[in-house]
Amino acid sequence: MAAQQAPAKELFREAFENRYTWDKDFPGYQAEIAYFPKEGDSSLSFSGVVSIDRNMKIDVAGVEDEEIRQKIREQMWEIMVHRVRHSFDEEHGGHTFVYGEPQNSDITEVLVSGLSSTDRYWVQGKHIQRVHRHLANRTITVSVQEFYDTGEGYLPTHYTAEYCSPGTEEKTQAKMIYEDRYQKIGRYWILVERRIWEEQDGKKSASPQLFLFSNIRFFE
């Protein structure tokens, strides 16, 4: 395979550095949020104010229901952790990289080994198309179906997440299906809309959860 002529580390580095992330001057922002547990059902909705500051600290205010506040916080954490910028050496400096099993002419598997586990990544062109990682008590597999090229790096816009028991690969929860929409505000791309469906035993939920972010203002 032509892509395998390069060291696995360099192939992975190129895809890693092609992700869209916020630069070191990112000031943080505040936004109003509207959360609908079922899109289309306006009788059940929650609103509040969310923020990520320049130090990547997350805040959720104005949401009284603790369970809902935690759901919103989880989404803010996911936004932050995927947009914060770390250099390749900071993130993967202590890891080793080897090629995995051949996939097809467009996808190359790279195995990334750390102190306790080996994670699997599929690289397609200059994109990380699939991530299979070991967490504390489960594995997660994220597969991307669509990317958006910002001109400053790529953003996944349609993707799925599956959680399984390590070893057995038995599913521990429903498959999650994500659809994201971003908007460039000033110098930065910000998530303005996220839909999440659940899929259980091949059946996709009729209505997704909907997170809407508006009145986005950067901190001074």
Side-chain angles (χ1 to χ4, degrees):
M1 186 182 300
Q4 292 188 355
Q5 293 176 359
K9 181 177 181 178
E10 296 311 311
L11 182 80
F12 183 77
R13 180 199 294 268
E14 186 175 37
F16 177 88
E17 293 180 344
N18 192 36
R19 299 169 306 124
Y20 176 79
T21 54
W22 295 324
D23 63 26
K24 62 180 178 61
D25 297 323
F26 182 69
Y29 70 95
Q30 182 180 84
E32 295 177 12
I33 184 170
Y35 169 57
F36 299 85
K38 287 187 176 181
E39 183 179 9
D41 183 358
S42 58
S43 66
L44 182 61
S45 65
F46 303 86
S47 61
V49 177
V50 296
S51 65
I52 301 174
D53 71 15
R54 65 173 62 249
N55 297 313
M56 300 298 137
K57 180 181 177 182
I58 296 164
D59 187 58
V60 179
V63 181
E64 298 300 326
D65 187 294
E66 177 59 31
E67 182 179 350
I68 298 300
R69 185 164 62 248
Q70 184 59 30
K71 282 181 179 291
I72 294 172
R73 178 175 288 277
E74 287 172 1
Q75 297 308 311
M76 296 304 296
W77 182 86
E78 287 191 10
I79 293 168
M80 179 277 293
V81 78
H82 289 107
R83 299 286 77 80
V84 63
R85 181 171 297 184
H86 295 297
S87 72
F88 181 82
D89 289 337
E90 286 174 324
E91 194 79 16
H92 294 288
H95 296 164
T96 59
F97 301 80
V98 297
Y99 286 109
E101 295 295 323
Q103 300 301 320
N104 59 44
S105 59
D106 297 324
I107 296 175
T108 304
E109 184 177 65
V110 177
L111 307 182
V112 181
S113 298
L115 295 176
S116 60
S117 66
T118 297
D119 297 329
R120 301 200 309 269
Y121 295 81
W122 284 10
V123 178
Q124 185 176 33
K126 295 183 180 180
H127 302 99
I128 298 173
Q129 190 270 332
R130 177 176 290 183
V131 179
H132 179 82
R133 296 190 62 193
H134 292 76
L135 306 178
N137 57 358
R138 57 183 176 169
T139 63
I140 179 173
T141 302
V142 177
S143 302
V144 183
Q145 288 75 49
E146 291 185 29
F147 297 96
Y148 177 72
D149 183 3
T150 69
E152 306 168 73
Y154 68 84
L155 288 163
T157 55
H158 294 74
Y159 52 98
T160 60
E162 298 180 79
Y163 297 88
C164 298
S165 298
T168 66
E169 294 305 306
E170 180 181 350
K171 289 182 172 57
T172 59
Q173 66 180 69
K175 178 180 179 179
M176 312 300 287
I177 303 171
Y178 292 80
E179 180 182 289
D180 290 347
R181 185 170 69 86
Y182 289 84
Q183 181 178 334
K184 191 170 188 181
I185 301 174
R187 291 170 49 195
Y188 300 100
W189 288 89
I190 304 294
L191 182 71
V192 295
E193 193 172 292
R194 169 170 287 174
R195 289 175 170 84
I196 307 175
W197 289 264
E198 294 186 6
E199 184 180 291
Q200 192 81 47
D201 299 325
K203 296 180 180 179
K204 181 180 175 182
S205 55
S207 299
Q209 300 177 62
L210 174 62
F211 299 82
L212 294 175
F213 302 89
S214 60
N215 294 327
I216 295 164
R217 301 177 297 278
F218 291 108
F219 293 128
E220 297 294 333

